[in-house]
Amino acid sequence: MKLRTSLLAALCLAAPAAMAADGDWTGWYAGLHAGHGSGNSDARVGVDGQWAIETPALRDEVAGTWSTDLDPSGAAYGLQFGYQHQFAGGFVLGAELDWSKLDLDDSRSTGMQPTVAFPTLAYDFANAIELDDKLALKGRFGYASGRHLFFASVGWVQVDATALAAVESNGGYLKLGRHSETLEGTEWGVGYEFDFGNQWSLRGEYLVTDLDTMRYDTAYLPGSTFTSPAYLETVRQDADFDTFRIALNYRF
């Protein structure tokens, strides 16, 4: 949060002081972008069904140890297309559609560990998250001074996400939950763009993406000792991430 606030404040302070040759940012543009994203994904596991016969201490330990915070990170690159109009006084309004290929992922496995409630019983818990294609439609507003454009953006986003939760015990309990979903959410950002004066411009941008929560259940795998009556686990998992990217645009 401090990084976001500081970056926004710096852009606001720098805008009035920007001096450059006369320019006009009005028109259509298209371009390429590349950068790096890093985020957070909270996986919270709830137990139900046959778990009711187990002690509260074991239920809480299983749910608590299986729940985790993952930190997906990786490259982000893609295309953008938009239109903007510069008004008298330097204010700029526009809209942009962009597609990004994300390589953001993270996973963990606890390894077989004995429980506190029953030391002879051990579990291995695993979790994973992967974020893939992203599509975003955002409104843009900013201030231009010649070849300098300072802007902010906000809008709608959807991201293809895949999550996984698995468990194995030394007593033969074996389950897996795997879920893929296109998540919607919001995205906002701030940035700076410089016009080279030949229809090409270079942009630096910081984006914050917040996605909806996905929900999925685990299922027994072949070879599991316990199948009936059913032990039930439900996973609720969300994701948000920040992206810093550089973009090259061509104005038509």
Side-chain angles (χ1 to χ4, degrees):
M1 181 60 72
K2 291 182 179 179
L3 174 61
R4 301 174 189 172
T5 304
S6 299
L7 182 55
L8 182 59
L11 291 173
C12 292
L13 290 172
M19 299 298 294
D22 291 339
D24 186 0
W25 291 85
T26 298
W28 295 94
Y29 63 88
L32 307 170
H33 62 261
H36 184 271
S38 58
N40 180 72
S41 179
D42 297 328
R44 297 294 172 255
V45 179
V47 297
D48 205 345
Q50 190 68 6
W51 280 106
I53 70 170
E54 305 294 348
T55 66
L58 180 60
R59 294 199 303 266
D60 291 346
E61 187 173 355
V62 168
T65 308
W66 204 348
S67 300
T68 189
D69 295 337
L70 298 173
D71 299 309
S73 64
Y77 52 92
L79 311 168
Q80 68 274 352
F81 176 77
Y83 178 83
Q84 56 197 7
H85 181 82
Q86 180 174 337
F87 296 88
F91 292 101
V92 177
L93 291 178
E96 181 174 291
L97 177 69
D98 78 67
W99 171 85
S100 298
K101 174 66 174 179
L102 305 178
D103 289 326
L104 278 62
D105 59 72
D106 191 23
S107 62
R108 69 112 188 203
S109 176
T110 62
M112 200 66 73
Q113 297 181 353
T115 62
V116 175
F118 298 99
T120 58
L121 178 63
Y123 287 99
D124 179 9
F125 299 102
N127 304 83
I129 183 72
E130 179 179 333
L131 303 176
D132 202 345
D133 294 344
K134 184 189 80 168
L135 183 67
L137 178 62
K138 301 187 291 292
R140 284 162 42 91
F141 55 94
Y143 175 78
S145 178
R147 295 184 180 180
H148 302 269
L149 174 62
F150 301 86
F151 65 88
S153 63
V154 63
W156 164 89
V157 66
Q158 68 174 29
V159 175
D160 292 339
T162 299
L164 177 148
V167 62
E168 179 182 4
S169 79
N170 60 352
Y173 190 66
L174 188 60
K175 298 189 76 176
L176 170 68
R178 182 182 176 89
H179 181 71
S180 295
E181 185 177 348
T182 299
L183 301 176
E184 296 189 354
T186 58
E187 184 170 84
W188 65 269
V190 293
Y192 165 77
E193 192 163 356
F194 178 76
D195 178 12
F196 292 107
N198 56 359
Q199 295 180 280
W200 291 95
S201 60
L202 185 66
R203 174 199 301 178
E205 188 173 19
Y206 175 74
L207 296 168
V208 178
T209 307
D210 188 12
L211 300 173
D212 294 338
T213 300
M214 69 174 80
R215 178 188 180 280
Y216 59 99
D217 300 323
T218 63
Y220 288 103
L221 292 174
S224 178
T225 302
F226 301 92
T227 57
S228 181
Y231 284 71
L232 305 178
E233 300 96 19
T234 298
V235 184
R236 290 177 172 82
Q237 191 157 351
D238 59 19
D240 59 78
F241 58 95
D242 301 343
T243 308
F244 179 76
R245 68 189 194 186
I246 302 296
L248 183 65
N249 287 321
Y250 179 81
R251 296 209 309 278
F252 299 98

